[in-house]
Structures are given as C-alpha cells and as structure tokens.
Amino acid sequence: MKKNIFKLTAFTLAAATAALSFTACGKDSSAKDSKSYSIVNVSYDPTRELYVAYNEAFKAHWESEHDSTVEITQSHGGSGKQALEVANGNPADVVTLALEYDVKAVEDAGLIEPGWIDEFPLDSSPYTSTIVFLVRKGNPKNIQDWGDLVRDDVGIITPNPKTSGGARWNHLAAWAWAQREYDNDETKVLDYIKKLYANVLVLDSGARGATNSFVENKQGDVLLAWENEAFLSLQEYPDEYEIVTPSISILAQPSVAVVDSVVDKNGTREVATEYLNYLYSEEAQRIAGENFYRPSNETVLAEFSDVFDLDLDLVTIDDFGGWDEAFEKHFADGGLFDQIYEQ
C-alpha cells in the first residue's frame, strides 16, 4: 500500500461535525441588509471531515468576493436516509449525497428542479471515490479479493443498502467482480452474493456506523469501505489496520444539487449555488484529495498519484444500466437485496 502523507485527524472531528438542528438555519438568511447568510448542507456519513475543511475555505472565498458573511450547518447520516428526510421536509439548501439516485429522490419529491445533474460539471459530481477493504494489521485472514469474502472464517462489516449509499456501491462492486468471475452466469453471481451477505455480522445504517463497528468495536475481519473512509481509519490507527485494494471495484460518484424550493424560500440561491460551484476550484479539489476523495480535476488528481491507485480496474454505474435500473433490480422493496437478505 502506498504511504499515507496526510496529517488529518478523522474521528476526533466527528463530534464537532455531527448533524445539527435544522431549525437554527435559514431564518432571516435572505435579509440583504444583514450581510449574513446561513445555509444547510445535508450530506452523507463519511464527508464530515471533508466539509469541516471545505466550509472554512468557502467562507473565506465568499467573504472575499461579497460584502457578506456565510455560516454553514452540516448534517450527516446514511445517504438514503438523509435523502428521505429532506424529501419529507427537513430543510436543506444543498444536498451532497452519495449517489445520483438519492438526489433524484429529493427531485421526485418536487424540491429539486429537473436537470440538476447538468447544473454543475461532470454530472454534478465534483469528486469521486471507490470501494476497498479495510483489514486488521498483517491481514491475518489473508483477504486479497472479493472471492475471499465468502470463506467460512471471514466476518464482514458493511452498511445496509436500504439506507446507505456507500453500501449500494459495495454491493454493486461485489456484483461486478462476480459477473466477471462467473462469466455473467447470474445464478452463480446471485449465489455468491448470498454467501457474502451470510457472512455479514452487522448492517449499520450508514458508512460511519459501519466503520465504528469495525474499528472501535473490533467486530469482523474486513470492512467494505469507501476509499476515503478506509484512509481516515488508517490515519487514525496506523498500527492496527491496512487497506487491501481488490482486483476490481466501482467508480463511486457522489452527487451534489441545490434544493430549489428551499433556496427560493430562504433567498439563498446565489450563495448555495456558489457553495457547490466552488467545489470544482483548485483549492477545493486539493481539499478533497487531502481528505482522500479523488479530485475530478485530472491535474489535481495527478498530484495524489502516490496516494490513490489510479490504475485500479473500475466499473461504473452505466455498466448496470444507470441508477434507475440498478436501484429497481437490486435495492427496491422486493428487489434482489431483499430476496437475499430475508432468506
């Protein structure tokens, strides 16, 4: 594994960035004479540290360009659960969720206008990630690839795909490996996935909860993790864990969007739009890399070539027919995950 060069502290920041009350945000933010704005960013589990750093950079940027200040409230949890809460009325000026489908759930609730995916570059995905394995130091179970996860002596920690966007990426990455391993024989692929979930010891609601189960509570032999989440764990406990990169994984593309109904009500459209747009700046792209997300800017990404395996074989959501098709087949009520895990 490549040497970790960053000095961020992962879990000590979590308490400071836990979900805050929505009721304190948005009030009077539209008052131009106050020279002050307040916006809410509803995000998913492993972005706490990223947005702690980014928010400070954005506040400085905004205040240097405008005669006003801005405060940002963060909220974190399982991506699917976060999307549902926004769809059900919890106010968010922006959402920065784990996958396109979760943003679409907010759109389907009538809160985000159609076409949001084209509002920002690269399908409104300012950074990417992938799925790796976090194992205990020395890799005592010799876990090298997806095939090792179905051995009888391996206990797996992964979040619940019904509530966690990261868990859906985990599931699809495993499916992609099995498709290749079994030459697209779906009966064999499904049998493999059943065996994998039979080895899952804990299905937490979100990625950070799964990390805590593995790292803090010492459960399981392997954590299926966002790459950035695995690096943060390794950084916090360098003598206890290591990362295994499987032979094939998936290009995980978190999506961002302005919540149109909320910003129009609050008068925060300009600041909310700039908040997401600035994620593509070189400053923000480096912040993403320093927090172990893969910058979408290829030049900045190259600066982190000693951190990320840029030659990793990655499938994409398009290989599954896009998120609508993938969700209906795998994660909708009565879909393959329900059929597998209820047995």
Side-chain angles (χ1 to χ4, degrees), residues 78-81 99 102 159-168 204-207:
S79 185
K81 184 174 182 289
L99 44 92
D102 290 337
N160 189 339
K162 304 294 282 189
T163 55
S164 167
R168 293 172 189 169
D204 288 287
S205 63

Side-chain angles (χ1 to χ4, degrees), residues 220-232:
D221 302 298
V222 56
L223 171 70
L224 307 189
W226 289 95
E227 184 177 50
N228 68 288
E229 188 81 343
F231 270 117
L232 288 174

Side-chain angles (χ1 to χ4, degrees), residues 19-72:
L20 301 178
S21 171
F22 289 116
T23 59
C25 302
K27 186 177 181 180
D28 294 330
S29 63
S30 61
K32 295 292 185 180
D33 57 354
S34 71
K35 305 296 184 185
S36 178
Y37 293 90
S38 178
I39 62 173
V40 176
N41 173 13
V42 172
S43 196
Y44 63 104
D45 253 346
T47 58
R48 290 170 169 86
E49 294 77 17
L50 168 62
Y51 282 108
V52 165
Y54 174 70
N55 288 349
E56 292 304 310
F58 177 74
K59 285 193 289 186
H61 161 73
W62 176 263
E63 291 168 16
S64 71
E65 298 291 328
H66 301 81
D67 186 22
S68 64
T69 61
V70 59
E71 294 298 325
I72 303 113

